[in-house]
Amino acid sequence: MASQYSKELLLTMYRKMYLIRRFEERADQSYKQGKIAGFCHLYIGQEAVAVGPNEALRPDDYMLSAYRDHGQPLARGSDAGMVMAELFGRGTGYSKGKGGSMHIFDIEHHFYGGYGIVGGQIPLAAGMAFASRYRNEDRVTLCYFGDAAANQGSFHETFNMAVKWKLPVIYICENNRYGMGTAIGRVSAEPEIHKRAAAYNMRGEAVDGMDCLKMYEAVKDAAEYCRAGKGPVLLEAHTYRFRGHSVVDPATYRPKQEVEEERKNDPIPKLKEYALKKKLGVEAEFDAIEEEVKAQVDAAVKFADESPEPSLDELWRDTIVEPGEEDVRPRERVLGMKVKWPSYPSGQELKVTWDLEPRQQAEREDKKAGLAR
């Protein structure tokens, strides 16, 4: 039976997942060599959750993540050398080396940051989706968060607002089964996080986060749903990190046998096997991709290694944006590349075109719930 996917899509997905894997392995190595300081949370094992959704979205859709945030910008198209330089704390990084591993930010590719506060990005994503609706755009916002963030108050407050205002936002819970070192079932009364959507009359579904194509299909369908004005979607991606919570975490809270079993479900060889079976690629093509990616990551590490640290003059710069101040365009600043920079209406000339809290709808809902007298 012929595949519904094109060869180009499958090879693109494979290239991006392989890039994330090799990038993270070198980040791990560099951390242990003392070239990266602070925390460094690796994405090894979760690559399908970044790549599948990215290919299902438009390049101008918005994306936010938590602090395990190297994979998503690489999937979006961020420069690997500049991402690595940010990890190294160098001036050629996306945030001039001042954000570090947990705060990658690339406006050019509509990646609006990793956030170190657990669940902090959840309400921000609703705000961005609100802005899209306010501007009468048909953009979708995609927000990643971990399973532990599902117990934060911001999760519940935001979902209630997002549904009431039918915001075009897709929330992906990357359920890798452990919030740091604590299993989700030990701290959650309802460990199946997608089921919590029902409390807000919200669409919620579980997805195999170890399968890039299943993630692609789930997000493609959810994006159509959002663009049609039907409101937000919660997807729970069942995934697994092959390494500890961060580089320094020995992960002694889970048995080695569990990790070995999960490694059999690695999303990267799984996609390759599918493509070969469907005759949408041959071994030589995958070998070539792997060699190209290894060279790309070697170059990224070399670029970061040879880049200067930020000067002391940068200490207080970028803390406040002055009126009329131009955007700092990272790839223009670092690589001298002319980039297409996003622009948005100021909002002053816009008006809300829908009733935020329609009275008639509220009365119907009250009556349906048996609250109206």
Side-chain angles (χ1 to χ4, degrees):
M1 185 176 176
S3 172
Q4 59 183 311
Y5 308 107
S6 69
K7 177 178 179 177
E8 180 184 9
L9 176 64
L10 296 181
L11 293 183
T12 295
M13 286 179 168
Y14 186 81
R15 179 185 294 275
K16 289 185 175 183
M17 284 202 292
Y18 195 79
L19 169 62
I20 295 169
R21 177 68 57 88
R22 293 294 167 251
F23 182 97
E24 296 290 66
E25 288 174 344
R26 291 302 299 276
D28 179 40
Q29 182 185 65
S30 298
Y31 189 97
K32 290 167 181 173
Q33 291 172 339
K35 296 178 180 180
I36 298 173
F39 289 105
C40 185
H41 304 84
L42 303 177
Y43 208 66
I44 295 172
Q46 299 184 207
E47 294 88 353
V49 188
V51 174
N54 182 73
E55 299 310 301
L57 294 176
R58 296 196 323 228
D60 65 337
D61 286 328
Y62 304 132
M63 187 180 289
L64 303 88
S65 182
Y67 48 76
R68 196 180 304 279
D69 67 338
H70 313 154
Q72 290 96 348
L74 290 173
R76 290 242 95 181
S78 298
D79 183 86
M82 290 178 62
V83 176
M84 190 67 80
E86 189 61 38
L87 270 62
F88 277 45
R90 302 305 172 92
T92 54
Y94 268 96
S95 299
K96 302 180 182 179
K98 297 185 285 185
S101 169
M102 297 195 292
H103 304 288
I104 306 298
F105 209 96
D106 182 4
I107 293 178
E108 179 194 346
H109 292 99
H110 299 284
F111 182 76
Y112 286 83
Y115 293 85
I117 297 174
V118 176
Q121 72 278 22
I122 294 175
L124 293 179
M128 297 184 78
F130 183 93
S132 291
R133 193 167 180 202
Y134 185 68
R135 294 173 181 145
N136 296 313
E137 299 173 333
D138 67 342
R139 281 176 165 140
V140 168
T141 297
L142 177 62
C143 178
Y144 292 93
F145 63 92
D147 46 274
N151 290 332
Q152 294 289 87
S154 57
F155 171 98
H156 303 280
E157 295 169 14
T158 301
F159 278 26
N160 184 62
M161 294 169 65
V163 173
K164 286 301 295 179
W165 295 341
K166 293 190 181 302
L167 300 182
V169 55
I170 302 169
Y171 286 102
I172 295 183
C173 174
E174 297 191 84
N175 189 349
N176 60 27
R177 292 162 48 182
Y178 294 93
M180 295 187 71
T182 305
I184 183 69
R186 294 181 63 191
V187 293
S188 294
E190 177 49 84
E192 294 185 76
I193 292 165
H194 69 280
K195 291 183 177 179
R196 301 184 189 186
Y200 306 99
N201 197 23
M202 180 178 177
R203 177 178 164 184
E205 299 167 6
V207 192
D208 183 357
M210 303 301 279
D211 189 314
C212 194
L213 295 176
K214 288 180 181 175
M215 288 302 307
Y216 170 83
E217 290 294 347
V219 172
K220 184 179 178 183
D221 186 65
E224 291 175 2
Y225 181 92
C226 288
R227 292 192 217 280
K230 296 180 180 179
V233 177
L234 170 63
L235 298 175
E236 179 183 1
H238 291 295
T239 185
Y240 197 84
R241 51 175 165 81
F242 295 161
R243 303 292 183 87
H245 174 69
S246 68
V247 173
V248 297
D249 172 22
T252 53
Y253 44 82
R254 58 187 190 182
K256 290 182 179 179
Q257 185 181 356
E258 176 185 299
V259 181
E260 289 169 4
E261 269 310 301
E262 292 295 339
R263 281 187 175 276
K264 295 176 184 177
N265 203 24
D266 193 321
I268 299 177
K270 182 186 291 185
L271 183 67
K272 178 181 177 180
E273 183 181 343
Y274 174 86
L276 292 172
K277 183 178 179 181
K278 295 294 184 180
K279 301 189 185 306
L280 292 171
V282 295
E283 285 284 359
E285 290 173 299
F286 288 99
D287 291 344
I289 287 173
E290 291 170 13
E291 289 305 313
E292 289 167 13
V293 166
K294 287 174 185 175
Q296 181 183 359
V297 174
D298 284 346
V301 174
K302 185 174 186 292
F303 174 80
D305 235 347
E306 295 176 352
S307 293
E309 294 183 355
S311 69
L312 289 177
D313 295 338
E314 288 288 338
L315 189 60
W316 300 109
R317 198 168 292 161
D318 303 318
T319 56
I320 298 174
V321 178
E322 301 292 344
E325 185 178 335
E326 289 188 10
D327 287 316
V328 177
R329 306 183 182 188
R331 289 207 302 162
E332 284 190 11
R333 171 178 61 84
V334 176
L335 305 176
M337 299 178 67
K338 193 68 179 172
V339 302
K340 183 180 179 182
W341 200 249
S343 62
Y344 309 101
S346 67
Q348 298 303 313
E349 70 279 17
L350 297 173
K351 292 182 179 180
V352 174
T353 56
W354 81 100
D355 190 349
L356 287 179
E357 297 171 352
R359 179 177 293 277
Q360 288 182 345
Q361 179 185 334
E363 289 173 350
R364 286 196 303 271
E365 293 298 326
D366 281 353
K367 188 174 181 181
K368 184 178 176 182
L371 299 175
R373 295 181 178 234

